[in-house]
Amino acid sequence: MTALPGGKFGPSAGARIRELMGEEDLRSLLLDADFDGPLVDYKEKGNKVESLGHDIVDGDDAYKLKVTLKNGDIIYYYLDPDTFLEIRKEQQLFLRGSVQNSRSTLDLISR
């Protein structure tokens, strides 16, 4: 098992021993560390954004964007057409030759 050069100090490793992070943990950490998200300054970050038109999310209309990250991972954003706020996000992470899918749906108060 190869690990990218990231590390963590954890209770399983003891207080003074640094253990290497796995590829999945490091990718999640790097994605979360981008406070602005992959859409802000996407060209400078090496990301590609495509508009996929409209889609339906829980019976409501939504704009659908496809963001291909610099590392090849794909994120689909579904945006509320009135507020442009994110209402759903689907991720496809390519790890060690397999695809890992995840989905999160946000509930807007005034939809």
Side-chain angles (χ1 to χ4, degrees):
M1 176 178 169
T2 60
L4 297 174
K8 62 181 176 179
F9 294 97
S12 64
R16 296 185 189 122
I17 300 172
R18 179 177 171 256
E19 61 182 43
L20 291 177
M21 298 177 76
E23 182 180 4
E24 183 177 347
D25 290 334
L26 187 58
R27 278 192 179 188
S28 294
L29 180 68
L30 292 173
L31 193 58
D32 291 342
D34 183 5
F35 294 114
D36 295 325
L39 290 171
V40 176
D41 296 328
Y42 69 93
K43 287 183 182 179
E44 288 80 11
K45 295 175 184 176
N47 301 334
K48 180 181 174 187
V49 177
E50 301 172 62
S51 173
L52 300 180
H54 292 265
D55 206 339
I56 302 296
V57 175
D58 297 332
D60 293 322
D61 192 36
Y63 291 123
K64 184 176 181 181
L65 298 177
K66 177 183 178 182
V67 180
T68 304
L69 302 178
K70 185 177 181 178
N71 65 7
D73 293 342
I74 298 172
I75 303 173
Y76 294 97
Y77 287 100
Y78 297 83
L79 306 176
D80 181 274
D82 298 323
T83 62
F84 298 101
L85 294 174
E86 175 186 325
I87 54 177
R88 178 177 287 166
K89 178 170 70 172
E90 297 174 351
Q91 294 181 300
Q92 291 182 334
L93 305 178
F94 300 94
L95 298 167
R96 296 179 296 280
S98 66
V99 179
Q100 182 184 40
N101 294 306
S102 66
R103 174 193 284 181
S104 59
T105 302
L106 302 170
D107 192 19
L108 298 178
I109 295 172
S110 62
R111 270 185 39 182

